[in-house]
Amino acid sequence: MKLDRRHPRYASLLQREALVKGYESGVTALAGLIAHGRGEAFDYLLGEVTTPMAEEAAEAAAALLLLAEKPVISVNGNTAMLCPRELVDLAETVGAELEINLFYRSEERARKIAEILRKNGAKEVYGVAPENEIPGIASLRKLADRAMILSDVVLVPLEDGDRTEALVKAGKKVIAIDLNPLSRTSQAADITIVDNVVRAVPLLRTKAEKLKGKKKEDLTRILESFDNRRNLEEVTKHIVNRFIS
Ligand code: PTJ
């Protein structure tokens, strides 16, 4: 179907179309479409814009990624369709590895996602045939490649609570991107950017570009002044206020 740019929900329709295409080509899980619908509902409540709270969280996240020694960006079937180029560009800006991690894992899906990332400029992609495990995860999300095992900071866009909690337990700093401020992932992460991945990933890169020349002490100061709990409370209040006003 040809989408009309003047349609008031053009951006949203584009995302839906990308995910439907992803499902038809075996990249996105069927449940990924449902997960996106839940995300859309929260995005609607946020006004489909990046809030000042998300800006603040993205700045802290960019500082953390730049301070990291071995950062990793986790990629699944939704993000591979929604923002592949942006993920690759962000990885390059902050010196992170890209690792595929799937809830509905099959090697074929992982290979297709790796192919998409490579087409978008990734030189190395981890997670196609992972041989290690992160303890404490009931699903196949437990599988981890070398990059994830060695990582100190992990960016998890569209994650489930189990793995977020397990990664924190394994001593990693976790940055989540999740439109639902109440999800277990949002609550368990060290930094949560409550925003749509299609806006949050490029925003993170812009913030990282701006902070790249800063001294370690300045980055640490940005990080230490960020309070995830307070940020999540402010986002939740923002949603409630939009509802009642
Ligand atoms: O590709 P796979 O096999 O790893 O499967 C991926 C899904 C998405 C099915 C899997 O990760 C899953 O079940 O996710 P959940 O537990 O439904 O969580 C998805 C979370 O992401 C929810 O809190 C949604 O609100 C949020 N979300 C959905 N779409 C977006 C989003 N957050 C940011 N941007 C989005 N576009």
Side-chain angles (χ1 to χ4, degrees):
M1 191 179 110
K2 179 102 182 76
L3 295 176
D4 188 335
R5 282 180 175 275
R6 290 165 304 178
H7 194 289
R9 307 210 51 73
Y10 179 68
S12 168
L13 291 175
L14 269 187
Q15 290 168 47
R16 284 188 178 187
E17 185 155 289
L19 290 173
V20 169
K21 224 189 248 172
Y23 172 65
E24 286 167 351
S25 59
V27 170
T28 305
L30 181 54
L33 306 185
I34 299 170
H36 184 74
R38 178 154 47 149
E40 269 189 346
F42 278 100
D43 207 5
Y44 196 83
L45 295 174
L46 286 167
E48 294 172 319
V49 291
T50 298
T51 64
M53 292 69 85
E55 288 264 358
E56 197 199 337
E59 178 152 291
L64 179 56
L65 284 167
L66 291 171
L67 284 167
E69 282 181 13
K70 292 188 180 299
V72 170
I73 300 174
S74 188
V75 184
N76 73 1
N78 284 48
T79 52
M81 290 309 295
L82 290 174
C83 50
R85 168 63 54 116
E86 291 78 3
L87 288 167
V88 173
D89 289 347
L90 174 63
E92 199 177 310
T93 301
V94 300
E97 302 291 358
L98 291 157
E99 181 162 325
I100 298 161
N101 180 274
L102 302 174
F103 185 84
Y104 299 99
R105 189 184 170 83
S106 76
E107 200 169 315
E108 195 192 348
R109 276 189 74 208
R111 264 191 277 108
K112 284 182 181 170
I113 294 170
E115 173 87 22
I116 291 176
L117 294 173
R118 284 201 195 94
K119 268 197 193 139
N120 281 281
K123 288 179 195 85
E124 188 147 27
V125 180
Y126 291 89
V128 174
E131 288 181 346
N132 305 289
E133 286 185 13
I134 300 280
I137 306 173
S139 70
L140 286 176
R141 273 203 189 279
K142 67 184 174 192
L143 295 174
D145 212 337
R146 209 154 32 95
M148 190 62 68
I149 295 295
L150 296 175
S151 67
D152 53 348
V153 173
V154 188
L155 170 65
V156 290
L158 255 108
E159 188 58 68
D160 59 63
D162 272 12
R163 191 167 78 123
T164 307
E165 286 171 359
L167 287 171
V168 171
K169 248 190 210 153
K172 324 256 181 217
K173 291 274 175 215
V174 178
I175 302 164
I177 301 174
D178 193 329
L179 278 160
N180 177 3
L182 305 173
S183 75
R184 228 161 15 109
T185 291
S186 290
Q187 303 284 326
D190 295 283
I191 299 176
T192 309
I193 306 168
V194 182
D195 202 2
N196 194 320
V197 287
V198 300
R199 296 189 298 268
V201 176
L203 172 66
L204 250 176
R205 184 178 177 221
T206 307
K207 297 275 185 199
E209 292 281 5
K210 275 196 193 142
L211 294 179
K212 231 175 161 179
K214 295 245 183 229
K215 288 192 212 118
K216 223 173 159 179
E217 303 91 82
D218 295 331
L219 296 176
T220 308
R221 209 168 306 126
I222 292 172
L223 195 55
E224 282 175 354
S225 67
F226 180 76
D227 180 339
N228 206 43
R229 192 124 309 272
R230 183 180 47 80
N231 192 281
L232 287 171
E233 267 171 33
E234 283 174 15
V235 183
T236 312
K237 272 190 208 144
H238 173 75
I239 291 176
V240 172
N241 287 339
R242 275 181 54 83
F243 235 128
I244 58 180
S245 68

